[in-house]
Each structure stands twice: as structure tokens, then as C-alpha cells.
Amino acid sequence: MFFAQYYLDCLSQASYMIADEGSGQAVVVDPRRDVAEYLADAEARGFSVVGVINTHFHADFVAGHLEMAARTGAWIGYGRRAETEYPIRKLADGEIIRLGDVALEIMETPGHTPESISVLVHEHHEHHDRRVRGRDTVPYGVLTGDALFIGDVGRPDLLASTGVTAQELGAMLYDSVQNKLMALPDEVRVFPAHGAGSACGKNLSTEKQSTIGAERATNYACAPMSEAEFVAIVTAGQPAAPGYFAYDAVLNRKDRALFDPAGAPRPLAPAEFIDRRAAGAVVVDARGPQEFAAGHLLGSVNVPADGRFAEQAGTVLPADTDLLVVAPQNREEEVVTRLARIGFDRVAGYLRSPDDALTAVAEHVTSAGRLTAARVRAALQGDNPPVVVDLRSCGERGEHGFIDGALHIPLGELPRRLDELPRDRPLVLHCAGGHRSSIGASLLRRHGFTDVSDILGGYAAWALLSAPADVPAAV
């Protein structure tokens, strides 16, 4: 058996290729949209990809099933409850997909979504008629999608908008996790679709694989409890879902356009870039917060490429508008690909050599105020104290503390909570280190807030101010 995990740090997303080396047949599970890496690996090993399985309709990225099928002729498989615009193979509970000596067994594990499945991987199955279901041998592993994470379970509250309640999904998830997945042998490896940092759960581990036994012993959601307790514990304290999740969940059902890496957006002359911007395109500036602060186009939104770029872009940018890209030098294609991974395909073009280009259109360029923690502290004691806005999660505030009197609006909620902010007072935003605060401050300026700054170094810098001088501060 060949088994590979492909992990995208930016989206905390894992996809998999499983193949039988004897027959050369391979299946890819939960592929991302830029599929060249899977195809190159298959070609290098002489595999033909016969099938693509999505464990569920993903909300946090656009899956690459259509791209894989177009390039390989593979069938596209989902749980039997899935309804799509494109042809699919509906996979039923207990169904066996044979790839030579390797067998994939479908387990229905609804709860994160109604159509969610897990995939049990059997390394060898006997050639006579006794079905794998007999399980004389322990399965190699289980691909759990978003049903079971390492240290967590998939949140059951993302589909409220589509008429399935968190209570209904929570009850399904209880059965899937506690009765189905926990019935597997302890030695079975667990391979989830997401890791730490994903907004698909609240407590995900940085580990990339685990075992059923380890989860049974350490995962809060796998401990024995009643259904009511389970639903209460897994729905509490979930982070705000980024704005693009609903858009992607719908897009994954649609017969949408394919991602074409060769059809990259073109470089635009500064004058044309400015014209497109005037016509309504939104400028996303992917340079670092310091470069952005030093000089950027008026109204542009800063989403630094060095970070959770796709997720944060999807949080603060509209999905249905034309985008213009200002990227760090020679990273334009990377930025465009990362936008495409969440279905943001309407990139009209980009600025080549941003430093020179910005000089050429100096009348459209502005800078951003970034304040030291000490200056903010002094301003708070002055005559017209600013309103401090904390963009961190509830968990971060609980663990590290917070600035007294700060308004708490996590970055994921900021776009829909702008009305809560005063327009007649100075605003100072902060996060943990100064990355998200640059994003948030640029969004507020785009929406017409005039006096907006952020704290250099974030809450970590603020905490150092109040730490005893002779003790090294914990950051």
C-alpha cells in the first residue's frame, strides 16, 4: 500500500492519496483545488487515480474534485446524502472500494454535516469471499474527515443557515463519534481532514495523525457522556466562522469553473490598476504589515501572505467582487493560487514591483499608523482616549489576559460588527502580535473609519509593559 498525507499549513487542511502498488490504482481524498502535486506523485509512481472522495461538503476551501476528474477521468464519491450539480458516485455505509489488495470501507459518520463519511483503510484483504467487514485484521487507519479531529470533533453548528440545527447535527455526531468511531480497535490510526488553527473546531492538535486509542484516552469529546452533555460541550465556545464558509459550502456542490494554473492574472500598469480600482475592484495587499503601513493604495485591505492568508482573505473580502493583488515581489502567482483555493477567482490583475508602482501613483498612496504599546497606554490616560478593539479569540483572552475596557470583536466577526464601533473616536486595534490587527485596521479604513491605528507587537508588547523589569516576561 502507498499512503500519503498532503498538509496545507495556510488552511490547516489535510488531503490523502491511497494506492495499491500492485494494481497501480489510487484514490485521492479531500483534494485541494491546485491538483498538480497529486498528479505528479501518481505519475512518478505509475498510479492511475481512479476515484476522488470528499468526506463531506467542505466550507473552508473549494475541493479539487472537478479538477482531478477532468485530468484523470476519476469518479467523484460522496456520502449517499450528498446532492450535487455534477455526476457523483454515492457511497453507502459498509460499501467496499477495492484497489487491488488495498480496500477502502465507507463509514457514514454524519454530524459535522449530514452527508459526512469516514473512510476505513484496509492494507490487505483476503481474496476469497469473506468480506472485509469480518475484520479479522485491524484496519491500517481511518480518514475521519471533519467528524473526529486530533483532540477535538468537527463543529456541528456551521449549517444553521441551511436549515439543519446544531442540535440535530450534534445528536448525529454523538452517534458517529461515540458509537461508531470509538468502536474501532485502539490501534487504528486516525487521519483527520484538518489540524490546529482551523475554524472547523476549537481545540485541534498540531499533530497530523493519532490513533483511536489515543483519542479515546485524551480527546474531551470521546470521553463517555450522555448525548445532551456531548451536544452542549461541542457547541460551546466555537470560534466565529469566517465569512466565506457559506460561499464555499455552496460552491462545492456546484458545477463550477476549473482552476487553471496557466491562466494566471496579468500584471497591470499602475494607471490601469488605478482605473480598475476606481471601477470598484477591491485591492488586497499581501505584503507584511510594516511594508503596508509604510505606504499602500488608499482603501486597500492588508492580508499578509505570510500567515493564514486564504482564510483571512475570505474573512475580510467579499467573495463576489473583482480583486486586484499587490503581492510581495515574485509571489503574485502564489497569492492568486491561494485565493483560488477558497474560490476567489475574480482576480483582475496585479501590480508588478509594488515599490516602483506605488511611487508612480503617489497621489493614491497613504500610510497607516502603528503605535507602540507605551504610546497607547499614554493615550488612554489622555483627554480623548481611544477605543481599544481586541481582535483575538475568546480562548486567547482567557489564556493571556486583556486590556481593561477593550471592546472584544474577533477578526472573524469584524466585517459584520462594524456598526458597533464609534466613528467619532480614535480606534486602536490589537491582536496577539500585530498581524490580524493590520488586517482589521485596513478593513476599517476601507469602510470609512478615519482615525484607526494598531498596536505594534500586539498584546504581547502590551503585556511586556506591565511585567516586572527583573523577570523575563512570558509572551
Side-chain angles (χ1 to χ4, degrees), residues 60-115:
D60 61 306
F61 70 105
V62 177
H65 46 278
L66 296 181
E67 285 79 4
M68 288 296 296
R71 295 284 294 274
T72 65
W75 48 262
I76 299 168
Y78 279 93
R80 62 182 174 83
R81 298 186 202 188
E83 297 295 337
T84 56
E85 287 182 2
Y86 45 88
I88 58 172
R89 174 175 174 177
K90 293 201 173 190
L91 302 170
D93 195 54
E95 188 168 337
I96 307 290
I97 297 160
R98 300 190 187 280
L99 309 172
D101 282 344
V102 174
L104 307 180
E105 178 183 352
I106 303 305
M107 292 176 74
E108 287 188 356
T109 49
H112 177 64
T113 66
E115 78 294 336

Side-chain angles (χ1 to χ4, degrees), residues 10 18 41 64 96 111 114 130 149 163 183 223 260 321 360 389 395 402 428 433 440 442 444 466:
C10 174
I18 305 135
D41 280 2
I96 307 290
R130 188 180 56 72
F149 296 132
D260 173 15
T321 194
V389 185
F402 50 86
V428 175
S442 68
L444 294 190
S466 46

